[in-house]
Amino acid sequence: MNNKMVNPYFEKFKVRAAEIGPNGKAKFSVLINFFQEAAWQHADALGVSVPALMEKGHTWVLHRLFLRVVKPVEKNEVVEVETWPSGIEKFFTFRDMRFKNERQELVAEGCTAWVVIDIEKRRLIPVPDYITGGNFVIENNHLPHPTDKLPSLGEAISGPGFQVYYQHLDQNNHVNNVHYLEWMLASLPQDYLLHMSLKEIDIQFKSECVLNDEITSEFQQLSDTEIIHSLKEKYSKREVARAISTWEER
């Protein structure tokens, strides 16, 4: 990366009809997709996109994502995503995000932690010098970086199982992050989903899901508004993701 000043990246997205859920609001996963697109474009502009890293035998992997919805988004609303790299440690880089509507009202905010892996070995490596050597960080983080481990499940309820198909894969040849959230939510009772709205999600991505993996989704309800989730590979019992979700009544 060169040493030119890094600025936050802004991109606007219009919420389409297909992105609206049964409650008439934008699905939670839509905001994650908006963020991922903006983060991709910003990384590309900074010279550290997935294809750029792949040329060096490396790639980005999302390790942790926290997102809080402040104000529901309606169909046809235009949302502006602001995102910026907010920190670097030995094995982690951090990227924050903020979403505002056309009235400049805050509608959501969040932060993420990313790691770099060696593609051939599929192993975590320290953040390379070509990333840390640039003027990469904007000291503007407004939320604590997500570093604490999430609690494990106690007595869990099992939901449906899922098989990884080709359409679930991204450019890294593993399951795209949004599908993890969708599988977690699919295990919850339908009556709960119809009467509650997802307010916050904190997801820790623990290992990759690849083609033909079979995934089981479990959850434990801590209270009326807080749930712990876990996704595991069916046969090896390897945990692939864990999350805490926070809800409110519609």
Side-chain angles (χ1 to χ4, degrees):
M1 176 182 299
N2 58 42
N3 287 313
K4 70 179 182 180
M5 180 61 66
V6 176
N7 295 311
Y9 179 84
F10 295 86
E11 187 165 353
K12 292 181 179 180
F13 300 89
K14 185 175 182 179
V15 178
R16 301 169 298 180
E19 296 167 328
I20 298 298
N23 63 346
K25 313 295 183 184
K27 298 174 185 176
F28 202 94
S29 58
V30 169
L31 295 177
I32 299 177
N33 279 327
F34 288 170
F35 161 71
Q36 290 191 140
E37 178 63 24
W40 175 287
Q41 297 298 338
H42 196 200
D44 187 39
L46 296 173
V48 290
S49 64
V50 168
L53 265 65
M54 283 181 167
E55 291 179 1
K56 302 177 184 294
H58 304 150
T59 194
W60 289 111
V61 172
L62 181 59
H63 171 72
R64 189 77 171 264
L65 179 146
F66 173 82
L67 180 61
R68 171 191 298 138
V69 171
V70 177
K71 181 181 179 66
V73 181
E74 310 280 347
K75 185 181 76 171
N76 293 328
E77 272 199 274
V78 174
V79 176
E80 183 175 62
V81 180
E82 177 188 8
T83 182
W84 64 95
S86 59
I88 296 180
E89 296 178 359
K90 182 177 181 181
F91 287 100
F92 300 96
T93 70
F94 300 94
R95 175 173 282 276
D96 289 16
M97 58 185 124
R98 187 182 289 123
F99 303 75
K100 291 184 178 180
N101 59 23
E102 292 181 291
R103 297 178 295 281
Q104 289 301 298
E105 296 170 328
L106 181 69
V107 297
E109 59 183 353
C111 49
T112 55
W114 299 77
V115 296
V116 178
I117 66 168
D118 182 298
I119 294 173
E120 183 178 350
K121 297 178 180 178
R122 307 309 289 183
R123 289 182 182 173
L124 175 70
I125 63 172
V127 181
D129 291 344
Y130 60 84
I131 295 175
T132 61
N135 187 12
F136 189 68
V137 174
I138 300 173
E139 297 292 345
N140 187 29
N141 49 304
H142 60 290
L143 292 172
H145 289 153
T147 55
D148 295 338
K149 291 184 178 180
L150 297 177
S152 56
L153 274 71
E155 293 187 14
I157 299 173
S158 295
F162 305 92
Q163 184 167 349
V164 177
Y165 295 113
Y166 181 81
Q167 62 265 31
H168 295 128
L169 304 180
D170 60 18
Q171 190 168 1
N172 284 327
N173 211 36
H174 62 201
V175 172
N176 183 270
N177 307 305
V178 171
H179 294 302
Y180 287 82
L181 174 61
E182 293 171 342
W183 292 342
M184 289 174 175
L185 300 185
S187 68
L188 301 181
Q190 292 186 21
D191 187 64
Y192 189 85
L193 294 172
L194 287 171
H195 292 91
M196 304 292 285
S197 292
L198 181 56
K199 190 74 174 176
E200 291 182 2
I201 192 74
D202 186 355
I203 305 180
Q204 183 179 3
F205 302 95
K206 299 173 72 68
S207 64
E208 294 180 292
C209 290
V210 297
L211 191 64
N212 296 324
D213 274 355
E214 293 190 40
I215 306 301
T216 59
S217 180
E218 301 177 336
F219 73 94
Q220 179 187 5
Q221 192 154 351
L222 299 179
S223 68
D224 289 343
T225 58
E226 193 170 46
I227 298 173
I228 303 178
H229 308 261
S230 177
L231 299 177
K232 295 178 181 178
E233 202 284 319
K234 181 177 179 180
Y235 299 104
S236 67
K237 306 301 181 185
R238 167 178 52 90
E239 189 174 34
V240 298
R242 187 183 300 178
I244 291 184
S245 60
T246 304
W247 303 73
E248 64 180 6
E249 290 189 15
R250 291 186 182 175

